[in-house]
Amino acid sequence: MQFNNWNVTINGKGSHDVVVSEDTLLILQNYQHVEIALKIVNDTIQVKSLGYGEDVCINPVTKEITINVTNLLEDDD
């Protein structure tokens, strides 16, 4: 997906919802609470919220963001 001219890849399983505006990207776990919040301010990506077990990798050279979402409450198959 694209977010403010950045290519975003979201890895993980379980239910999540993505909400995007011009300068903010939110990932909600189980459609309830914000697990990851990214905001662009003056061409800088700021991590505003990062849940337990989640990680975000930002590559400014290639303008790629990789988000790994781990839902600790989700049962494994």
Side-chain angles (χ1 to χ4, degrees):
M1 75 177 278
Q2 289 291 314
F3 167 58
N4 203 314
N5 296 320
W6 287 76
N7 186 34
V8 179
T9 302
I10 301 172
N11 299 318
K13 66 178 190 173
S15 59
H16 63 273
D17 194 21
V18 179
V19 179
V20 178
S21 72
E22 184 177 307
D23 64 352
T24 305
L25 181 140
L26 305 175
I27 296 179
L28 299 111
Q29 282 280 354
N30 297 321
Y31 308 103
Q32 294 177 20
H33 65 279
V34 174
E35 198 64 31
I36 296 171
L38 304 179
K39 185 161 183 78
I40 295 182
V41 177
N42 298 326
D43 295 326
T44 301
I45 296 179
Q46 299 177 354
V47 178
K48 295 293 189 177
S49 178
L50 188 62
Y52 181 78
E54 320 303 346
D55 66 73
V56 176
C57 298
I58 301 170
N59 186 331
V61 175
T62 61
K63 293 197 80 150
E64 294 178 313
I65 302 170
T66 303
I67 301 171
N68 296 306
V69 180
T70 305
N71 187 348
L72 298 176
L73 300 177
E74 189 82 16
D75 290 334
D76 289 333
D77 293 333

